[in-house]
Amino acid sequence: MKIRLISLSIVFLSFIPLAISQNTVQDSIMLKKIYTAALTQGKSYEWLDHLANNIGGRLSGSIEAEVAVKYTEAELKELGLDKVWLQPVMVPKWTRGFKEYAYIETLSGDKTIVDICALGGSVATPSLGIKAEVVEVNGLEELAVLGKEKLSGKIVFFNRPMDPSLIQTFAAYSGVADQRYSGAMEAAKYGAVGVLVRSLTLLRDDNPHTGAMSYGDTPPERQIPAAAISTNGAEYLSSLLKLQPDLKFYFKQNCKNWGDVPSFNVIGEIKGSEYPDEYMVVGGHLDSWDLGDGAQDDGAGVVQSMEVLRLFKKLNYTPRHTIRVVLFMNEENGLRGGKKYAQEAKRKGEKHRFALESDAGGFTPRGFTLDCNDANFKRVESWMSLFEPYLVHFLQKGHGGADIGPLKGNIDVLAGFLPDSQRYFDYHHAATDTFEAVNKRELELGAATMASLVYLFDRYGTK
Ligand SMILES: [Zn+2]
């Protein structure tokens, strides 16, 4: 029985066009070379070490962001690419100032210090801070129910947690991020004096996680300060509120919005041998939040993207299309770099075929999300067997990435590199997002996985 099955499969295999099987063999050899080079002679970890430990957190408009621009430009120039340049872009500058301070004051006058941090873009509190009663809510929709009567003069405490039952943690994050982004804008409409938001993490610890917030059209005199509170702090505050609904919360923060300042996207390219005027982009964002050193978000994506071009040079691979690495500025609090890149691409009439973003951390690669038509999706599906030896299996239609998003309409395929996401939000936007949180091998596997997809799209083109 077994023998018969084998002979049947040989007959079947002989019908596969020779060209396809030769391509597959050639591609699997190339992928093996890419992974081996990344794991044995990789440079991504060394770059990340410098970016994280020698430069540090790279908030848009900061000295660190400026140094990171110069450093990555110099490193890309070392790779012998055909062109490396800086693309000017104006970015918002916001500074945290002195560390925030907060405590819960119970009716007996006891004070317990809790860990908070200002949300990015928030205004400061008055110089003496704010002390007020707290109203806990489970989401933006509860504000209208409570109304001005219950919320005026209060600090609104958004405490809806990320849903731990969701396997893809980005979905859990998306499910609660509106509290952080719009909480202050919405609460101000009901006369609230400040906003506290439960940190967007599944971890229970004392680290507050910052992130972007917006005031929308709220006039400056009605903008209220917004802070993230650690999950331990949020649990503690919530439990105390059940015992003493009229306890008071005090917080003081010293942040400031400075308006726009000049900065840059960092770009390097290898000219395509057959289609020099058709572009394939790989990138991450160079800016980061300021509490940690931004190694996971998005130092990892930056160095992995640089590594893709370095691997191609190292392996003497001559791409058919022009391959660009773009290190975008200001993803975290404005997306100005991504918008500028897309705007310039459109203005110059540059035909973009494919873009891949790495902005989900430097963890073990799982696969990709794709924003494209069915023909391109099926094409990537047909390549997935090539990724099997590297334990990369996941493919789903979905969002490519924030920075490459503005290219939509002038591009065939937007792809997001998807590493394992279980630990990402432990570090995301917190002081714990440091170099130590990134594993060298996982980072390198990610770079190789990205290089492999770029290689396949370059070799076969988009549909
Ligand atoms: Zn990011």
Side-chain angles (χ1 to χ4, degrees):
M1 191 63 187
K2 261 184 184 168
I3 292 163
R4 202 171 150 208
L5 271 177
I6 290 166
S7 61
L8 270 176
S9 64
I10 290 167
V11 173
F12 174 71
L13 278 172
S14 66
F15 282 109
I16 295 173
L18 198 59
I20 291 179
S21 56
Q22 274 176 349
N23 280 352
T24 308
V25 170
Q26 214 179 323
D27 292 338
S28 56
I29 291 170
M30 182 60 179
L31 262 62
K32 179 71 185 160
K33 281 185 187 166
I34 289 172
Y35 277 88
T36 302
L39 290 168
T40 60
Q41 305 162 5
K43 188 126 194 237
S44 57
Y45 195 65
E46 188 186 319
W47 280 328
L48 188 66
D49 188 0
H50 188 94
L51 210 53
N53 291 324
N54 292 24
I55 300 176
R58 304 166 295 284
L59 196 52
S60 292
S62 67
I63 285 285
E64 289 85 353
E66 204 177 309
V67 176
V69 165
K70 295 215 167 79
Y71 170 67
T72 49
E73 181 194 21
E75 289 299 309
L76 287 177
K77 281 186 172 160
E78 287 287 305
L79 300 184
L81 307 179
D82 294 316
K83 201 175 157 194
V84 174
W85 73 101
L86 300 182
Q87 181 174 61
V89 57
M90 294 300 288
V91 297
K93 178 173 173 162
W94 175 85
T95 53
R96 183 172 303 283
F98 293 119
K99 191 170 161 36
E100 304 81 351
Y101 177 66
Y103 60 80
I104 300 167
E105 188 178 294
T106 56
L107 300 183
S108 59
D110 291 334
K111 292 170 184 165
T112 308
I113 291 172
V114 287
D115 296 291
I116 67 155
C117 69
L119 291 181
S122 173
V123 294
T125 56
S127 58
L128 293 177
I130 287 174
K131 194 196 274 189
E133 287 180 14
V134 178
V135 179
E136 178 177 340
V137 296
N138 201 39
L140 295 172
E141 56 288 349
E142 281 188 27
L143 298 177
V145 179
L146 291 165
K148 267 193 178 158
E149 201 184 318
K150 298 265 173 58
L151 300 176
S152 188
K154 305 285 170 56
I155 292 169
V156 174
F157 168 36
F158 292 94
N159 196 27
R160 187 164 86 249
M162 280 170 64
D163 181 352
S165 72
L166 296 173
I167 303 307
Q168 295 194 37
T169 60
F170 281 90
Y173 175 73
S174 303
V176 292
D178 60 347
Q179 302 178 118
R180 188 193 74 204
Y181 191 76
S182 310
M185 167 176 24
E186 294 304 318
K189 292 176 185 166
Y190 301 96
V193 292
V195 155
L196 274 178
V197 183
R198 181 192 180 96
S199 286
L200 304 188
T201 177
L202 287 157
L203 203 64
R204 287 282 179 84
D205 69 5
D206 294 324
N207 293 297
H209 293 232
T210 191
M213 54 83 66
S214 168
Y215 289 113
D217 299 331
T218 314
E221 66 277 9
R222 286 182 48 213
Q223 294 177 359
I224 59 173
I229 181 168
S230 71
T231 47
N232 276 347
E235 288 294 315
Y236 183 61
L237 176 59
S238 181
S239 64
L240 283 186
L241 281 168
K242 286 181 182 74
L243 298 171
Q244 295 186 359
D246 39 4
L247 61 74
K248 290 207 167 66
F249 192 89
Y250 171 88
F251 75 117
K252 176 165 161 49
Q253 52 191 37
N254 311 285
C255 37
K256 187 171 174 175
N257 285 301
W258 299 80
D260 288 358
V261 296
S263 188
F264 302 94
N265 289 329
V266 183
I267 308 176
E269 72 179 23
I270 305 173
K271 266 267 171 269
S273 58
E274 286 176 55
Y275 309 106
D277 297 331
E278 294 187 18
Y279 298 88
M280 296 198 170
V281 166
V282 59
H285 64 86
L286 195 49
D287 66 305
S288 78
W289 285 107
D290 57 327
L291 297 172
D293 58 39
Q296 291 283 10
D297 186 12
D298 184 25
V302 163
V303 299
Q304 286 174 325
S305 300
M306 292 165 68
E307 182 75 346
V308 170
L309 274 75
R310 196 193 70 89
L311 288 169
F312 287 168
K313 292 297 286 184
K314 181 107 195 143
L315 297 170
N316 290 318
Y317 176 69
T318 308
R320 301 169 72 207
H321 306 77
T322 293
I323 310 287
R324 266 186 195 164
V325 54
V326 184
L327 311 179
F328 298 93
M329 185 53 73
N330 187 228
E331 188 273 346
E332 295 293 3
N333 56 336
L335 205 65
R336 300 282 186 84
K339 287 176 184 163
K340 183 72 175 188
Y341 180 81
Q343 191 187 320
E344 284 298 295
K346 199 169 181 186
R347 189 180 65 79
K348 292 178 186 161
E350 292 173 345
K351 182 64 207 166
H352 278 65
R353 292 289 179 203
F354 167 71
L356 170 64
E357 179 156 356
S358 170
D359 184 17
F363 299 96
T364 303
R366 295 281 188 225
F368 311 99
T369 49
L370 293 177
D371 185 354
C372 61
N373 62 19
D374 288 343
N376 280 304
F377 188 83
K378 285 207 176 84
R379 168 162 279 194
V380 180
E381 231 170 14
S382 77
W383 296 334
M384 288 313 281
S385 61
L386 290 164
F387 287 94
E388 282 282 331
Y390 311 101
L391 310 179
V392 172
H393 305 277
F394 186 85
L395 189 64
Q396 198 174 62
K397 281 212 172 179
H399 177 64
D403 296 290
I404 59 173
L407 284 166
K408 200 163 174 158
N410 180 30
I411 194 157
D412 300 329
V413 180
L414 292 168
F417 167 62
L418 192 76
D420 187 90
S421 72
Q422 301 313 317
R423 283 172 292 142
Y424 185 59
F425 291 96
D426 293 2
Y427 310 112
H428 186 248
H429 299 179
T432 45
D433 181 0
T434 60
F435 182 66
E436 293 69 31
V438 178
N439 175 282
K440 179 175 185 282
R441 196 169 166 80
E442 291 180 352
L443 181 77
E444 290 168 346
L445 285 167
T449 302
M450 291 164 63
S452 298
L453 187 68
V454 177
Y455 157 77
L456 288 164
F457 265 113
D458 176 58
R459 185 153 147 77
Y460 297 106
T462 56
K463 290 202 171 186

